[in-house]
Amino acid sequence: ASAPFVPATRWHATKLGAEHEERVQHRRLRAEIDGPRPASQQEKDAQLALFLHATDERARREDAYRWEVLIELKDVVQKQAPNVTLAGRESAVYEQMYRSEPGERMLKPRFLICMRKVFGFKIASTDEASDSRTGFVLERVYNAFDPTGANTGVDWRLLLTMYRVVSLPLVLFREHLLFGFG
């Protein structure tokens, strides 16, 4: 049995036809995802308001989750490494994180290594039992500060600034801002 004969002059067999078909399929898919287009300006405004409200709600939920996770981290740090400072010494958190990643974003393996080094956390230990609670909290911290969830890294300066607010609540907010951005 031989393959069926396909004439080379068919529209979709040409390069131009294939590109056209791809554009048509893309438009169909986009229409299915977006749904019907609004007919009036009022409908457009209503859809925009709904979108902005949903985006604002998501941002608030993400921020609340970050603060919640940082409070958990503070509890773990106070139990396991109460004498660690945030900045100003050779072994402080800021200096260790800067040495690990001088750029803006720190990827997960480097983040976990840095946290283990600074706080002495027993995660991924080969000599003794790992602390699963600490590992769980560090996973949550990383995931809360990874904006896309695609392992693009955490903005470690933002994390430290927010952690400072949680760990030093009696310090003036101006001092926290100077620490983070000064």
Side-chain angles (χ1 to χ4, degrees):
S2 63
F5 173 75
V6 178
T9 57
R10 284 197 174 169
W11 167 251
H12 61 80
T14 65
K15 181 179 178 188
L16 183 62
E19 290 172 358
H20 172 75
E21 183 65 28
E22 186 178 332
R23 284 193 302 271
V24 168
Q25 288 178 357
H26 180 74
R27 272 190 237 123
R28 280 188 199 133
L29 181 62
R30 191 82 253 156
E32 287 176 18
I33 292 171
D34 293 342
R37 294 183 181 257
S40 69
Q41 187 61 35
Q42 287 178 332
E43 289 179 11
K44 289 179 184 178
D45 291 343
Q47 281 188 350
L48 179 62
L50 283 172
F51 172 76
L52 292 175
H53 178 72
T55 304
D56 193 37
E57 277 297 313
R58 186 176 64 237
R60 269 191 250 141
R61 279 194 312 271
E62 288 173 358
D63 282 345
Y65 180 66
R66 285 179 178 170
W67 290 111
E68 175 186 317
V69 166
L70 285 174
I71 290 170
E72 284 183 55
L73 179 64
K74 180 188 79 144
D75 294 341
V76 169
V77 168
Q78 284 179 343
K79 288 178 187 170
Q80 294 186 17
N83 298 328
V84 173
T85 58
L86 287 177
R89 291 196 312 196
E90 192 66 25
S91 61
V93 180
Y94 184 91
E95 282 74 13
Q96 289 292 330
M97 286 190 148
Y98 183 79
R99 272 191 227 114
S100 293
E101 179 57 59
E104 184 180 329
R105 300 206 162 273
M106 185 180 289
L107 295 177
K108 191 175 198 173
R110 205 173 284 249
F111 172 75
L112 293 174
I113 289 169
C114 184
M115 296 300 273
R116 186 176 69 211
K117 192 189 259 185
V118 170
F119 296 113
F121 292 148
K122 294 185 178 0
I123 52 174
S125 177
T126 56
D127 297 337
E128 54 192 89
S130 296
D131 184 1
S132 61
R133 171 77 179 139
T134 303
F136 175 73
V137 170
L138 291 178
E139 283 282 330
R140 288 187 67 192
V141 168
Y142 185 85
N143 293 336
F145 283 87
D146 185 15
T148 61
N151 199 21
T152 56
V154 297
D155 182 351
W156 61 269
R157 289 176 179 93
L158 173 66
L159 186 145
L160 279 183
T161 303
M162 290 177 73
Y163 180 77
R164 188 173 192 268
V165 171
V166 168
S167 63
L168 302 170
L170 299 179
V171 173
L172 293 174
F173 195 70
R174 180 179 186 279
E175 298 298 319
H176 293 304
L177 291 176
L178 285 173
F179 172 81
F181 304 103

